[in-house]
Amino acid sequence: MRELKIFFVVVFFTGLVYWGVEPFAHSVMNPHSSPANFDFAKADEEFFQKEIEAKTKALEEAKASGNEKAIIATQKALELLQSQEQSTKQMWEKISKIDFSKANAQKGKEIFEGNCIACHGVKAAGIPASITDSSLGVTPPDLSDAGSIYDEKFLAALIIDPVKAMQISHKFNDEKPFLMPAYPLSGDDTKDGQDLADLIAFLKDTAVKYEKDFEDTTKKELEAKYAKNQELSQEAKNSLIAKELQFAKDKQVFENACGRCHDVKYDGFVSSSNMDDLKNYLGMTPPDLSMMIRSKGRDYLDIFINEPQKKIHGTAMPRVGLNEKAQEQVVDYLEKVGDSKKEEREQTGIYIMIFFVILSIFAIGWKRSVWSKLH
């Protein structure tokens, strides 16, 4: 009975310290953020609402202090923010009226070849890239799978106004223009955004072909890899092939979504852009992501990839615009590379807990046996 009392006292004070200290430290180092929101129009609405509330409060504090310079600077910042909110709202309203179901992929290809081909290639459609290095700041992406990994409305916003779509107006402006210019494809409201819908339909159709070809090719390579292995059953081979195929798919999405800026040296992956070019362009060197899953955690990455400004205000990291499935694949890849022993570690943890439970039972039994003879 005495051991149980000691045990409960230890548990109580351990719990008190943990719940009283750890959550506070965590809240300071990692402030609460709303979950990832793949309705990007709604996310922008919430973002501006929060920012305007903060700036309004700052203006009130400046007025209370009587600091004229602070009042003028804060007032200008608030007005700029309100202007950005209004123009962003108009952009999303315009996109909401586009009927993507009535798009023509062939016309979209013609639009792509007349506008986007100056920087981008689409290997899956036989369109080579015009720029294959980061001499402009960052290597322009090949868009073979853009139609499947990015949200279609985000793609529309990205084409109309990339700075607004990626939430990087604090980093790029008229004085420092963003690498990708805004293309007024749907500048004429009488078109109802049909040219934009056609372009995205082309990207979607291409992505379907790209993904099928990639899966078929990778699967054949894996089947050939395990064909001569006589030690494994066919069921085991199929399981390994399925596992490695999924890893290859996840890695492919990561490369196309994040691989132009970030290295993953644990997997031998190096960014397609030169780090010096990226540093000059972004103002910082993008980090290697090998251990990001261990240092930040899955929940953090889900929010950060979806909307970086929620976690690091003013970061040069743009909002990527991935759809929910693609974002999950990116985080899965980082987890498999950066925390490859996760399953083994968690399983070992369970075994250790079971061991200590059994050990405790035997220790209590042995103690009672010894003391019963003394009494």
Side-chain angles (χ1 to χ4, degrees):
M1 191 64 184
R2 184 183 177 190
E3 289 81 4
L4 282 176
K5 289 180 180 178
I6 294 172
F7 172 75
F8 284 122
V9 169
V10 171
V11 168
F12 173 76
F13 281 103
T14 302
L16 184 65
V17 171
Y18 177 81
W19 292 110
V21 176
E22 194 279 340
F24 174 73
H26 187 270
S27 66
V28 172
M29 297 180 67
N30 184 26
H32 172 73
S33 301
S34 55
N37 189 351
F38 295 92
D39 181 344
F40 295 102
K42 183 68 175 176
D44 276 346
E45 182 181 336
E46 293 172 354
F47 171 77
F48 279 111
Q49 182 180 1
K50 185 177 179 180
E51 289 294 299
I52 288 173
E53 286 177 359
K55 280 289 186 291
T56 302
K57 184 178 179 180
L59 180 59
E60 290 173 356
E61 292 174 353
K63 288 179 178 178
S65 70
N67 188 326
E68 283 298 322
K69 288 184 178 180
I71 292 171
I72 294 171
T74 309
Q75 182 67 50
K76 286 183 178 179
L78 179 59
E79 290 173 358
L80 176 62
L81 201 58
Q82 290 171 332
S83 175
Q84 290 173 341
E85 179 197 29
Q86 188 60 31
S87 60
T88 302
K89 184 178 179 181
Q90 291 172 351
M91 177 187 74
W92 286 117
E93 286 176 348
K94 189 174 189 177
I95 291 170
S96 69
K97 297 175 183 178
I98 298 174
D99 187 351
F100 291 96
S101 65
K102 296 180 179 179
N104 185 311
Q106 183 54 43
K107 288 183 178 178
K109 183 179 181 181
E110 294 171 5
I111 292 171
F112 182 92
E113 291 174 335
N115 293 275
C116 315
I117 200 171
C119 294
H120 300 285
V122 185
K123 291 179 182 177
I127 302 174
S130 300
I131 302 173
T132 57
D133 59 23
S134 56
S135 55
L136 296 178
V138 62
T139 306
D142 181 271
L143 302 181
S144 293
D145 65 346
S148 65
I149 68 175
Y150 296 106
D151 176 82
E152 65 180 10
K153 290 183 178 179
F154 180 85
L155 278 176
L158 186 66
I159 295 166
I160 292 174
D161 195 326
V163 172
K164 285 190 179 71
M166 293 191 284
Q167 291 187 337
I168 48 176
S169 58
H170 61 283
K171 193 73 180 176
F172 297 98
N173 46 48
D174 292 337
E175 295 178 3
K176 185 182 179 182
F178 183 58
L179 176 63
M180 177 178 170
Y183 281 99
L185 292 173
S186 296
D188 184 355
D189 289 334
T190 61
K191 291 182 179 179
D192 295 324
Q194 191 59 52
D195 47 357
L196 208 55
D198 291 342
L199 177 56
I200 293 170
F202 162 64
L203 294 176
K204 281 185 173 183
D205 281 5
T206 303
V208 171
K209 179 181 181 300
Y210 173 81
E211 289 186 338
K212 186 178 185 306
D213 289 346
F214 178 80
E215 181 172 351
D216 290 345
T217 302
T218 306
K219 191 173 182 180
K220 286 179 181 178
E221 291 174 354
L222 291 171
E223 287 173 346
K225 173 183 173 182
Y226 288 105
K228 296 180 181 180
N229 192 323
Q230 302 299 322
E231 297 178 2
L232 297 173
S233 65
Q234 189 58 47
E235 184 179 353
K237 289 179 182 179
N238 290 340
S239 177
L240 286 170
I241 288 171
K243 189 175 181 179
E244 291 190 33
L245 178 60
Q246 186 58 54
F247 176 78
K249 289 180 180 179
D250 294 345
K251 181 175 181 177
Q252 187 71 9
V253 173
F254 172 86
E255 288 181 3
N256 292 338
C258 317
R260 293 179 302 115
C261 293
H262 296 283
D263 295 341
V264 184
K265 292 177 182 174
Y266 275 22
D267 194 34
F269 177 78
V270 179
S271 166
S272 60
S273 300
N274 180 281
M275 284 298 163
D276 289 335
D277 291 338
L278 286 171
K279 185 177 182 179
N280 291 333
Y281 187 63
L282 299 174
M284 62 170 289
T285 301
D288 181 284
L289 301 183
S290 297
M291 286 293 289
M292 197 59 67
I293 191 72
R294 297 288 296 274
S295 62
K296 297 296 185 181
R298 191 178 188 98
D299 290 342
Y300 181 98
L301 290 179
D302 274 330
I303 297 171
F304 186 70
I305 294 170
N306 181 261
E307 196 170 351
Q309 298 301 321
K310 282 182 180 178
K311 288 296 185 183
I312 306 178
H313 196 275
T315 179
M317 165 85 175
R319 176 167 61 182
V320 184
L322 296 174
N323 57 42
E324 194 166 0
K325 178 186 174 184
Q327 180 166 303
E328 186 177 346
Q329 286 182 271
V330 167
V331 180
D332 282 347
Y333 168 72
L334 292 175
E335 187 171 71
K336 289 168 187 171
V337 172
D339 197 5
S340 59
K341 299 292 184 180
K342 181 182 178 181
E343 290 184 20
E344 183 180 336
R345 186 179 69 252
E346 290 178 345
Q347 192 66 44
T348 302
I350 292 173
Y351 290 148
I352 291 173
M353 291 171 67
I354 294 172
F355 168 77
F356 276 113
V357 168
I358 296 172
L359 180 64
S360 299
I361 293 171
F362 276 106
I364 292 170
W366 176 78
K367 183 260 181 186
R368 288 185 175 181
S369 174
V370 170
W371 282 89
S372 65
K373 293 176 183 179
L374 294 176
H375 287 291

